[in-house]
Amino acid sequence: MKRAERGFDVVKAGHIEFLVTDLAEARKFYAETLGFVVTESDRTHVYLRGLEDRHHHCLMLTKSDTPGVGHFAFRVTDESELRAVEKMVKGRGWYSRWVDPGEESGQGRALMVEDGFGFPVEFYARMAPEEWLLQKYQDYRGAKVMRLDHFNIMLPDVASAYDWYVGGLGFGCTEITETEGRRPDLWAAWLRRKHTCHDIALTTGKGPRVHHAGFTVSDRASIMDAADLLAASRYLKSMERGPGRHGVSNAFFLYLRDPDGNRIELYTGDYISADPDWVPIRWKLNDPRRQTFWGAPTPKSWFNEAMMVRSPRNGEFRKILAPKIRDRPDYLLSVR
Amino acid sequence: MKRAERGFDVVKAGHIEFLVTDLAEARKFYAETLGFVVTESDRTHVYLRGLEDRHHHCLMLTKSDTPGVGHFAFRVTDESELRAVEKMVKGRGWYSRWVDPGEESGQGRALMVEDGFGFPVEFYARMAPEEWLLQKYQDYRGAKVMRLDHFNIMLPDVASAYDWYVGGLGFGCTEITETEGRRPDLWAAWLRRKHTCHDIALTTGKGPRVHHAGFTVSDRASIMDAADLLAASRYLKSMERGPGRHGVSNAFFLYLRDPDGNRIELYTGDYISADPDWVPIRWKLNDPRRQTFWGAPTPKSWFNEAMMVRSPRNGEFRKILAPKIRDRPDYLLSVR
Amino acid sequence: MKRAERGFDVVKAGHIEFLVTDLAEARKFYAETLGFVVTESDRTHVYLRGLEDRHHHCLMLTKSDTPGVGHFAFRVTDESELRAVEKMVKGRGWYSRWVDPGEESGQGRALMVEDGFGFPVEFYARMAPEEWLLQKYQDYRGAKVMRLDHFNIMLPDVASAYDWYVGGLGFGCTEITETEGRRPDLWAAWLRRKHTCHDIALTTGKGPRVHHAGFTVSDRASIMDAADLLAASRYLKSMERGPGRHGVSNAFFLYLRDPDGNRIELYTGDYISADPDWVPIRWKLNDPRRQTFWGAPTPKSWFNEAMMVRSPRNGEFRKILAPKIRDRPDYLLSVR
Amino acid sequence: MKRAERGFDVVKAGHIEFLVTDLAEARKFYAETLGFVVTESDRTHVYLRGLEDRHHHCLMLTKSDTPGVGHFAFRVTDESELRAVEKMVKGRGWYSRWVDPGEESGQGRALMVEDGFGFPVEFYARMAPEEWLLQKYQDYRGAKVMRLDHFNIMLPDVASAYDWYVGGLGFGCTEITETEGRRPDLWAAWLRRKHTCHDIALTTGKGPRVHHAGFTVSDRASIMDAADLLAASRYLKSMERGPGRHGVSNAFFLYLRDPDGNRIELYTGDYISADPDWVPIRWKLNDPRRQTFWGAPTPKSWFNEAMMVRSPRNGEFRKILAPKIRDRPDYLLSVR
């Protein structure tokens, strides 16, 4: 489906809402330790941005009894396009509702959707501008987080979600993982609107769950400095995996769990994917360098745990369903 | 002018042709020392690509009696769009001619234009695919050049060229430099199609000339390793400026002159500019951190010298005209 | 025991001899891939040095039916001092024999000792000078190995070896690990003559075995570049552990197994230990940050496997004895 | 002269006293911006150490009407050795006086000398221990300064000072610069006691003056981060030279002027010089890569300006004398 049929353009992964049980603890982790910038906060929310961001927030922390993800959001080019999104969503029979300007602080009018895979996805065009801190080097702290890069979601049926993101929303596909065999299944896909490796990755697993949100840092040194910093402070156990190199995306990574167990990735080193004739890079599920280019083992928590998502219809967490195909490489089948 | 009126989309800065007097010497510099990958070569050309490139070439070296630039080229999304480009160019009364597929090795059908500012600019959609070397780390050499990032051109009248690139070709503007005073002139502009700081920069000076082509490397370490390597080999004098940090673009840079004096920039550290409401960053010409964030002086050759361009009409080098406004900051007026 | 009583000064860890079953394969690994510089080679030996070395070799590969360590060697300040070493060794009733100049290529007269712990240790003063390649950046390859830093040996009785190295040979102690409890045992010690963290580390385990030889690289980037390079070439499985940060020594590390399973460490980031009143840094065996500052798990091979040593008396490999105290932290007792 | 004749061992460059006109401003520069750690302060002094230091101070700021250097100091191995130093100094007819324990905070008994070249040099053995912050990564700030590395002094007669440091104090010489011609003069020497490139450098110029004190940082990234930080804060003009690579010492450097114009070097990337048969690396004064390996020009202030030294006899600044030979390379003779 081309743009003319869609009537709108998704720009990029815009922001994500993490549910946290202790707002002060979460702020200590994200702002004071990792160096996210606090744009605004109140008794139930902290709105954070990266050093490269020129808008109100890319990460929103919301006080909650239970951790997880409230919603994640894509930016579209113009507010007038949101009705086209609504039309497409309604055409699929999915739930949606309008979010008033300012209902989420800093944000213009938005459309909140529960997609057919169970994820709470928001579409918005306007976000309040904020000062650019990219060259305020004197304010750099911690991991020197630059910006949100992508969401990684787990769900039982990747192929259907691929159709929606590529066919419906016009995402390009940069890399895929497929199962072994003569008639391979699509196991995971890395999809982008902006010109990087991805804005969203779809991976096979129990879901709907959000596996992590990826945030960009400038270079490998920032990631290793963050690892030293976290180990030296009281966040040793927050480091779940890495630093290491992914085969997929070529990114240099460090995965962290916040005090509530919500997962983020510090991420650097992918590529520019602007070419219109980009042929997806293909990986086999069992290729050991796909997951970790250097071959180091992945902890089982990384495969088994992910963030529950809250339904925008009733505020309850979505029930988890099992995948139709196996959710990990053969060499990790015993890791449960 | 919106896309519908244009009828085409420019994707990115695609490739550049450097004229060199000694092909073997140029190859030694670009391929053996800096680590560009040779895709193809014959008696009069060497076609080079970066480690991140998936296509035939981003740098083309052509044997010539005189150094300079043969042409630079933008990629458009589809070959069917080239007629829309031709129509727009003809509407302005500029010279253009069709380039047959393969006339430039690896390239599909293309439109060669001499724009109204005197620059030889090619538009093309197809380029032969080549193996991706991004994860062939065993083949990394020298400066580990990833890809072409941008062209920087000098011309007497930046404001008119700005209208063509932004109004005609649909580029976005990420940063500008303007002169001091209550009614400032536009002195330079950084314009992009892909989601980085720029695909082309327009700067005030004697022209039409190409100041440099910028190539991306992964990190600051690659640039410093390149500086050590060049100093230790016989290319000490090839290093014209840097390593240093630009205020504009925030890039970490090293400027090099090839054995013929053609200039390239090794470049890293800019930002993602996908947001549709990007407000250009504004710099004053006399701000010392604009040119060199760290304040180190710029050698006069950097202001005085640039590459001549060859007319696609007759193969002769274009005559140089003086700018209408001063071509450098006040603190450098004495540097001539 | 002071210098006057000893009559000699040990300068530093000087070189090590690795036994390899396939000299061509070993050379491919060390020279062509990791970038060690070949000073000399013949049908049964390859002599290698680092980019910072100004002498003939710091790593010597010897063709052998069985992998392992032929000997490791300490440099003393002057050849005239070797008799003082011999006297001390004889006083302890240990085996020693003189090695003629050139018997080991590039080396002056030397004393080969089998110490009371079963290790083949050579003492020498003179080594043929070689060109310094530190600023020949154009010759940097692979992991850009600078120099030998230290030996790490495993043996059942660390306390006795500590007495010999500190009391007999005049080493300083920079860090120790001791067991838990009110009357802790000395579990490991990091000992130095040159002004770094160590020239030799003594660790508790089945022995006599050499756990690894540590080679210095300039920075963390070199180690990560090496990891990418090894993963991309056919040495993915050579990476046993890391990259990571040690708590002990503060070093940033990557452990590699050569094609024969011999182990080296790429190592950077320790400190200058020149102060005469240096108080050893004390670690408890069960402190998780001691081994890996970032908390990542250590593969069991790292605890279970080490290099056999060949006796200088008869050329046979020394029998392995079990340690008197446990050989790993509690949290790794199940890893066997 | 061997140790036995000297009766003492110098360990390393220990600390330096900078005279500053505004203690609060100086503290803001060194502690808050560059990240030196404040061990102690009172109304007229601030005592600073690096992250790797385990003792009270390596940099001492003293309130003064005039900037400059109060003294610089070498650590010896034991307090009992100071009498041997005194004897040697008296033998040369130089001024000396005893400094009581605590007269300089944190320091044991010391001998203050005015050497025959006009420099105020202190010898001490004991300094109060302080907490090691090397692995307190959460406290790393600014340039992440690790430790004092060396002093660089300018004086008219380098050859005589060389005799004192090498012949009298037992320093080793790692590198020298000599003038061109068949009978070259010694123009500069890099001398060390600890196993690095140098503890003190002697360079030809108007003197006695201290050109700079060099402080070690861990890697090149720290230096570039410091450059960004200084440029972004109000210290743009504090950056006098660099970042760049020295040919001599192979160090990666950044030279800074504090708010009073006192000069320090941030320094990384030299080598281990433990070998007893080290043959000095020889450089010709006019070799362009000697000063700046990458060939970038040196600002004239770097050659013309240095810190005055205060006489320990009367507290007055020493008169400056002209050198006997030219004080800079031919290509810089016009830079005055």
Side-chain angles (χ1 to χ4, degrees):
Chain A
M1 195 184 305
K2 296 199 173 176
R3 190 195 184 285
E5 300 164 68
R6 280 203 315 275
F8 64 92
D9 264 341
V10 171
V11 176
K12 63 170 191 177
H15 63 266
I16 191 166
E17 180 191 21
F18 275 5
L19 308 176
V20 300
T21 61
D22 186 327
L23 207 53
E25 276 298 302
R27 182 180 179 138
K28 204 169 287 179
F29 180 74
Y30 287 106
E32 292 171 34
T33 304
L34 292 180
F36 279 86
V37 179
V38 177
T39 300
E40 184 187 336
S41 66
D42 58 31
R43 286 178 55 189
T44 51
H45 298 94
V46 181
Y47 301 90
L48 300 161
R49 70 186 198 276
L51 294 158
E52 192 181 309
D53 284 321
R54 302 182 73 188
H55 295 91
H56 191 271
H57 62 271
C58 66
L59 175 59
M60 174 184 172
L61 307 175
T62 298
K63 177 83 176 78
S64 165
D65 290 339
T66 313
V69 167
H71 71 282
F72 54 87
F74 293 104
R75 186 170 195 186
V76 298
T77 48
D78 196 273
E79 207 154 284
S80 64
E81 300 182 350
L82 293 173
R83 285 215 176 277
V85 181
E86 185 192 26
K87 185 180 163 195
M88 181 174 285
V89 165
K90 280 188 186 302
R92 295 193 171 225
W94 296 348
Y95 169 89
S96 69
R97 67 171 173 83
W98 290 101
V99 179
D100 287 335
E103 189 177 325
E104 179 176 325
S105 185
Q107 186 179 252
R109 195 172 183 233
L111 185 74
M112 180 67 80
V113 174
E114 184 171 56
D115 70 21
F117 319 102
F119 291 97
V121 189
E122 193 180 39
F123 295 85
Y124 72 105
R126 285 197 287 185
M127 180 67 86
E130 292 291 337
E131 188 191 9
W132 204 35
L133 301 175
L134 185 62
Q135 295 184 328
K136 297 251 167 174
Y137 289 104
Q138 67 275 49
D139 295 336
Y140 278 34
R141 293 287 178 275
K144 306 177 212 163
V145 176
M146 286 291 139
R147 55 176 177 80
L148 173 68
D149 185 75
H150 63 265
F151 315 121
N152 182 304
I153 65 174
M154 295 183 89
L155 70 169
D157 183 6
V158 161
S160 298
Y162 178 94
D163 288 343
W164 163 241
Y165 276 99
V166 174
L169 294 175
F171 279 64
C173 178
T174 54
E175 310 201 21
I176 64 164
T177 298
E178 55 193 11
T179 56
E180 275 67 24
R182 277 188 302 171
R183 297 178 56 188
D185 289 308
L186 179 66
W187 191 85
W190 284 256
L191 308 176
R192 66 98 183 157
R193 283 295 308 173
K194 71 179 184 308
H195 296 161
T196 62
C197 174
H198 59 319
D199 289 289
I200 191 162
L202 316 173
T203 59
T204 295
K206 289 179 194 161
R209 294 187 297 172
V210 174
H211 188 268
H212 66 265
F215 294 90
T216 297
V217 301
S218 290
D219 54 16
R220 299 177 300 181
S222 299
I223 283 186
M224 281 170 303
D225 289 348
D228 283 335
L229 166 66
L230 290 162
S233 53
R234 61 198 184 86
Y235 296 108
L236 176 62
K237 300 210 165 157
S238 298
M239 287 190 285
E240 184 184 30
R241 181 182 174 197
R245 167 86 67 193
H246 282 307
V248 172
S249 84
N250 196 48
F252 195 85
F253 65 82
L254 175 63
Y255 287 93
L256 304 177
R257 307 296 290 267
D258 78 7
D260 279 299
N262 297 312
R263 184 187 285 118
I264 66 167
E265 179 185 16
L266 301 178
Y267 178 96
T268 195
D270 64 348
Y271 46 81
I272 294 293
S273 64
D275 283 310
D277 58 346
W278 184 277
V279 178
I281 311 292
R282 302 175 89 86
W283 296 87
K284 283 293 177 185
L285 180 55
N286 284 343
D287 181 341
R289 292 193 293 199
R290 187 189 70 87
Q291 269 273 337
T292 312
F293 195 65
W294 300 340
T298 305
K300 62 184 174 185
S301 65
W302 200 88
F303 274 94
N304 292 340
E305 300 172 15
M307 294 175 276
M308 303 282 283
V309 297
R310 205 166 58 181
S311 170
R313 280 181 296 151
N314 54 18
E316 292 180 7
F317 285 95
R318 290 283 305 208
K319 196 182 153 193
I320 302 304
L321 302 174
K324 297 172 179 172
I325 57 175
R326 67 208 164 86
D327 66 348
R328 64 198 68 193
D330 292 344
Y331 57 86
L332 289 169
L333 282 177
S334 61
V335 182
R336 291 196 188 259
Chain B
M1 195 185 306
K2 297 199 173 176
R3 191 195 183 286
E5 299 165 69
R6 279 203 315 275
F8 65 91
D9 264 342
V10 172
V11 176
K12 62 169 192 179
H15 63 266
I16 191 166
E17 180 191 21
F18 275 5
L19 308 177
V20 300
T21 60
D22 186 326
L23 207 53
E25 276 298 301
R27 182 181 179 136
K28 205 168 285 180
F29 180 74
Y30 287 106
E32 290 170 35
T33 304
L34 292 179
F36 279 86
V37 179
V38 177
T39 299
E40 185 187 335
S41 66
D42 57 31
R43 286 177 55 189
T44 50
H45 297 93
V46 181
Y47 302 89
L48 301 160
R49 69 186 198 277
L51 295 158
E52 193 181 308
D53 283 321
R54 302 182 73 188
H55 294 90
H56 192 271
H57 63 272
C58 65
L59 175 60
M60 174 184 172
L61 306 176
T62 298
K63 177 83 177 77
S64 166
D65 291 340
T66 313
V69 167
H71 72 281
F72 55 88
F74 294 104
R75 186 170 195 187
V76 298
T77 48
D78 196 274
E79 206 154 286
S80 64
E81 300 182 351
L82 292 174
R83 286 215 176 274
V85 181
E86 184 192 27
K87 185 180 164 195
M88 182 175 284
V89 165
K90 281 189 186 301
R92 295 193 171 226
W94 296 347
Y95 169 90
S96 69
R97 66 170 174 84
W98 289 101
V99 179
D100 287 336
E103 189 177 326
E104 179 176 325
S105 185
Q107 186 180 252
R109 196 173 183 233
L111 185 74
M112 180 67 80
V113 174
E114 184 171 55
D115 70 21
F117 319 102
F119 290 97
V121 189
E122 193 179 39
F123 295 85
Y124 71 106
R126 285 196 287 185
M127 179 67 86
E130 292 290 337
E131 188 191 7
W132 204 36
L133 301 175
L134 185 62
Q135 296 184 328
K136 296 251 166 174
Y137 289 103
Q138 68 274 48
D139 294 335
Y140 278 35
R141 294 286 179 276
K144 305 178 213 165
V145 176
M146 287 290 139
R147 55 175 176 80
L148 173 68
D149 186 74
H150 63 264
F151 315 122
N152 182 304
I153 64 174
M154 294 182 90
L155 71 169
D157 182 6
V158 161
S160 297
Y162 178 94
D163 287 344
W164 163 241
Y165 277 99
V166 174
L169 294 175
F171 279 64
C173 178
T174 54
E175 309 202 21
I176 64 164
T177 298
E178 54 192 12
T179 57
E180 274 67 24
R182 276 187 303 171
R183 297 178 56 187
D185 289 308
L186 179 66
W187 191 85
W190 284 256
L191 307 176
R192 65 98 183 156
R193 282 296 307 172
K194 72 179 183 308
H195 296 160
T196 62
C197 174
H198 59 319
D199 289 290
I200 190 163
L202 316 173
T203 60
T204 296
K206 289 179 195 160
R209 294 187 297 171
V210 174
H211 189 269
H212 66 264
F215 293 91
T216 298
V217 301
S218 290
D219 54 17
R220 300 177 299 182
S222 299
I223 283 186
M224 282 171 304
D225 289 348
D228 283 335
L229 166 66
L230 290 162
S233 53
R234 60 198 185 86
Y235 296 109
L236 176 62
K237 300 210 165 158
S238 298
M239 287 191 284
E240 184 184 31
R241 180 182 175 199
R245 167 86 67 192
H246 283 307
V248 172
S249 83
N250 196 48
F252 195 84
F253 65 82
L254 176 63
Y255 287 93
L256 304 177
R257 307 295 291 268
D258 77 8
D260 278 300
N262 297 313
R263 184 188 284 118
I264 66 167
E265 179 186 16
L266 301 178
Y267 177 96
T268 195
D270 65 347
Y271 46 81
I272 294 293
S273 63
D275 284 309
D277 59 346
W278 183 276
V279 178
I281 310 292
R282 302 175 89 86
W283 296 86
K284 283 293 176 184
L285 180 55
N286 284 342
D287 182 339
R289 291 193 293 200
R290 185 189 71 86
Q291 269 274 338
T292 312
F293 194 66
W294 300 340
T298 305
K300 62 185 175 186
S301 65
W302 200 87
F303 273 95
N304 294 339
E305 300 172 15
M307 294 175 276
M308 303 282 283
V309 297
R310 204 167 58 182
S311 170
R313 279 181 297 154
N314 54 18
E316 291 181 8
F317 285 94
R318 290 283 305 205
K319 195 181 153 195
I320 302 305
L321 303 174
K324 296 173 180 173
I325 57 175
R326 67 210 164 85
D327 67 347
R328 63 199 69 194
D330 292 345
Y331 56 84
L332 289 170
L333 281 178
S334 61
V335 182
R336 287 190 191 264
Chain C
M1 191 186 304
K2 296 197 178 178
R3 188 194 185 289
E5 299 166 68
R6 280 202 315 275
F8 64 92
D9 265 342
V10 171
V11 176
K12 62 170 192 178
H15 62 267
I16 191 165
E17 180 191 21
F18 275 5
L19 309 176
V20 300
T21 61
D22 186 327
L23 207 53
E25 277 297 301
R27 182 180 180 139
K28 204 168 287 180
F29 180 75
Y30 287 106
E32 292 170 34
T33 304
L34 292 179
F36 279 86
V37 179
V38 177
T39 300
E40 185 187 336
S41 66
D42 57 32
R43 286 179 54 191
T44 51
H45 298 92
V46 181
Y47 302 89
L48 300 160
R49 70 187 198 276
L51 294 159
E52 192 181 309
D53 283 321
R54 301 183 72 188
H55 295 91
H56 191 271
H57 63 273
C58 65
L59 174 61
M60 173 185 174
L61 306 176
T62 298
K63 177 82 177 79
S64 166
D65 291 339
T66 313
V69 168
H71 72 281
F72 55 88
F74 293 104
R75 187 171 193 184
V76 299
T77 48
D78 196 275
E79 206 154 285
S80 64
E81 299 182 352
L82 292 173
R83 286 213 175 277
V85 182
E86 184 192 28
K87 185 179 165 195
M88 181 174 287
V89 165
K90 282 189 185 297
R92 294 191 172 228
W94 296 347
Y95 169 89
S96 69
R97 66 172 174 83
W98 289 102
V99 178
D100 287 335
E103 188 177 328
E104 179 176 326
S105 185
Q107 183 179 256
R109 195 173 184 233
L111 186 73
M112 180 66 79
V113 174
E114 184 170 56
D115 70 20
F117 319 102
F119 291 97
V121 189
E122 193 180 41
F123 295 86
Y124 71 106
R126 284 197 287 186
M127 179 68 84
E130 292 291 337
E131 187 191 10
W132 204 36
L133 301 175
L134 185 61
Q135 296 183 327
K136 297 249 168 177
Y137 289 103
Q138 67 273 49
D139 294 336
Y140 278 35
R141 294 285 178 278
K144 306 175 210 165
V145 176
M146 287 290 140
R147 56 176 176 78
L148 174 68
D149 185 77
H150 63 264
F151 315 122
N152 182 303
I153 65 175
M154 295 182 89
L155 70 168
D157 183 6
V158 162
S160 298
Y162 179 95
D163 288 343
W164 163 240
Y165 277 99
V166 174
L169 294 175
F171 279 64
C173 178
T174 54
E175 310 201 21
I176 65 163
T177 298
E178 56 192 11
T179 56
E180 274 66 25
R182 276 187 304 171
R183 298 180 54 187
D185 289 308
L186 179 66
W187 191 86
W190 283 257
L191 308 175
R192 67 99 185 158
R193 283 297 306 173
K194 72 179 182 309
H195 296 161
T196 62
C197 173
H198 58 318
D199 289 291
I200 190 164
L202 316 173
T203 59
T204 296
K206 290 179 194 161
R209 294 188 296 171
V210 174
H211 188 270
H212 66 265
F215 294 90
T216 297
V217 300
S218 289
D219 53 18
R220 299 177 301 179
S222 300
I223 283 185
M224 281 170 304
D225 288 348
D228 282 334
L229 166 67
L230 290 162
S233 53
R234 61 198 185 86
Y235 296 109
L236 176 63
K237 300 209 166 158
S238 298
M239 287 191 284
E240 185 184 29
R241 181 183 174 197
R245 167 86 68 194
H246 281 308
V248 172
S249 83
N250 197 49
F252 195 85
F253 65 81
L254 175 63
Y255 287 93
L256 304 177
R257 307 295 291 267
D258 77 7
D260 279 301
N262 297 312
R263 184 188 284 117
I264 66 167
E265 180 186 15
L266 301 180
Y267 176 96
T268 194
D270 64 347
Y271 46 80
I272 293 293
S273 64
D275 284 309
D277 59 347
W278 183 276
V279 178
I281 311 292
R282 302 176 89 86
W283 296 86
K284 282 294 176 182
L285 180 55
N286 284 343
D287 182 340
R289 292 193 293 199
R290 185 190 72 86
Q291 269 272 338
T292 312
F293 194 64
W294 300 339
T298 305
K300 62 184 175 184
S301 64
W302 200 88
F303 273 94
N304 293 340
E305 301 172 14
M307 293 176 276
M308 303 282 284
V309 297
R310 204 166 58 181
S311 170
R313 277 180 299 151
N314 54 19
E316 293 179 8
F317 286 94
R318 289 283 305 206
K319 195 180 153 196
I320 303 305
L321 302 175
K324 297 173 179 171
I325 57 175
R326 67 208 163 88
D327 66 350
R328 62 198 70 192
D330 292 345
Y331 57 86
L332 289 169
L333 282 177
S334 61
V335 183
R336 284 188 194 267
Chain D
M1 192 185 303
K2 297 200 176 176
R3 189 194 185 290
E5 299 165 68
R6 278 202 315 276
F8 64 92
D9 265 341
V10 171
V11 176
K12 63 170 191 176
H15 62 267
I16 191 166
E17 180 191 21
F18 275 5
L19 309 177
V20 300
T21 60
D22 186 327
L23 207 53
E25 277 297 303
R27 182 181 180 138
K28 204 168 288 181
F29 180 75
Y30 287 106
E32 292 170 34
T33 304
L34 292 179
F36 279 86
V37 179
V38 177
T39 300
E40 185 187 336
S41 67
D42 58 32
R43 285 179 54 190
T44 51
H45 297 91
V46 181
Y47 301 90
L48 300 161
R49 71 187 198 276
L51 294 159
E52 192 180 309
D53 284 320
R54 302 183 74 188
H55 295 91
H56 191 271
H57 62 271
C58 65
L59 174 60
M60 173 185 174
L61 306 176
T62 298
K63 177 81 178 78
S64 167
D65 291 338
T66 312
V69 168
H71 71 280
F72 55 88
F74 293 104
R75 187 170 193 185
V76 299
T77 48
D78 196 274
E79 207 154 284
S80 65
E81 300 182 352
L82 292 173
R83 285 212 175 278
V85 182
E86 184 192 27
K87 187 179 163 196
M88 181 175 286
V89 165
K90 281 188 186 299
R92 293 190 172 228
W94 296 346
Y95 169 89
S96 69
R97 67 173 173 81
W98 289 101
V99 178
D100 287 335
E103 189 176 328
E104 178 176 327
S105 184
Q107 184 179 254
R109 195 174 183 232
L111 186 72
M112 180 66 80
V113 175
E114 185 171 55
D115 70 21
F117 319 101
F119 290 97
V121 189
E122 193 179 42
F123 295 85
Y124 72 105
R126 284 197 288 185
M127 179 67 84
E130 292 290 337
E131 187 191 9
W132 204 35
L133 301 176
L134 185 62
Q135 295 183 329
K136 297 250 168 177
Y137 289 103
Q138 67 274 49
D139 295 335
Y140 278 35
R141 294 285 179 276
K144 307 177 211 165
V145 176
M146 286 291 138
R147 55 176 178 78
L148 174 68
D149 185 76
H150 63 265
F151 314 122
N152 181 303
I153 65 175
M154 294 182 91
L155 70 169
D157 183 6
V158 161
S160 298
Y162 178 94
D163 288 344
W164 163 240
Y165 276 100
V166 174
L169 294 175
F171 279 64
C173 178
T174 54
E175 309 201 21
I176 64 163
T177 298
E178 56 192 10
T179 56
E180 274 66 24
R182 276 187 305 172
R183 297 179 55 188
D185 289 308
L186 180 66
W187 191 85
W190 284 257
L191 309 175
R192 66 96 184 160
R193 283 296 306 172
K194 71 180 182 309
H195 296 161
T196 61
C197 173
H198 59 318
D199 289 290
I200 190 163
L202 316 173
T203 59
T204 296
K206 290 179 194 162
R209 294 188 297 171
V210 174
H211 188 270
H212 66 264
F215 294 90
T216 297
V217 301
S218 290
D219 53 17
R220 300 176 301 179
S222 299
I223 283 185
M224 280 170 303
D225 288 349
D228 282 335
L229 166 66
L230 290 162
S233 53
R234 60 197 185 87
Y235 296 109
L236 176 63
K237 300 209 166 158
S238 298
M239 287 190 284
E240 185 184 31
R241 181 184 175 198
R245 167 85 68 194
H246 282 307
V248 172
S249 84
N250 196 49
F252 194 85
F253 65 81
L254 175 63
Y255 287 93
L256 304 177
R257 307 295 291 266
D258 78 7
D260 279 299
N262 297 312
R263 184 187 285 116
I264 67 168
E265 179 186 16
L266 301 180
Y267 176 96
T268 194
D270 65 346
Y271 45 80
I272 294 293
S273 63
D275 283 311
D277 59 347
W278 184 276
V279 178
I281 311 292
R282 301 176 90 85
W283 296 86
K284 282 293 177 183
L285 180 55
N286 284 343
D287 182 340
R289 292 193 293 199
R290 184 190 72 86
Q291 269 271 339
T292 313
F293 194 65
W294 301 339
T298 305
K300 62 184 176 186
S301 64
W302 200 87
F303 273 94
N304 292 341
E305 300 172 15
M307 294 175 276
M308 303 281 285
V309 297
R310 204 166 59 182
S311 170
R313 278 181 298 149
N314 54 18
E316 292 179 8
F317 285 95
R318 290 283 305 208
K319 196 181 153 194
I320 302 305
L321 302 175
K324 297 174 179 171
I325 56 175
R326 69 208 162 88
D327 66 349
R328 63 198 70 193
D330 293 344
Y331 56 88
L332 289 168
L333 281 177
S334 61
V335 182
R336 284 188 195 268

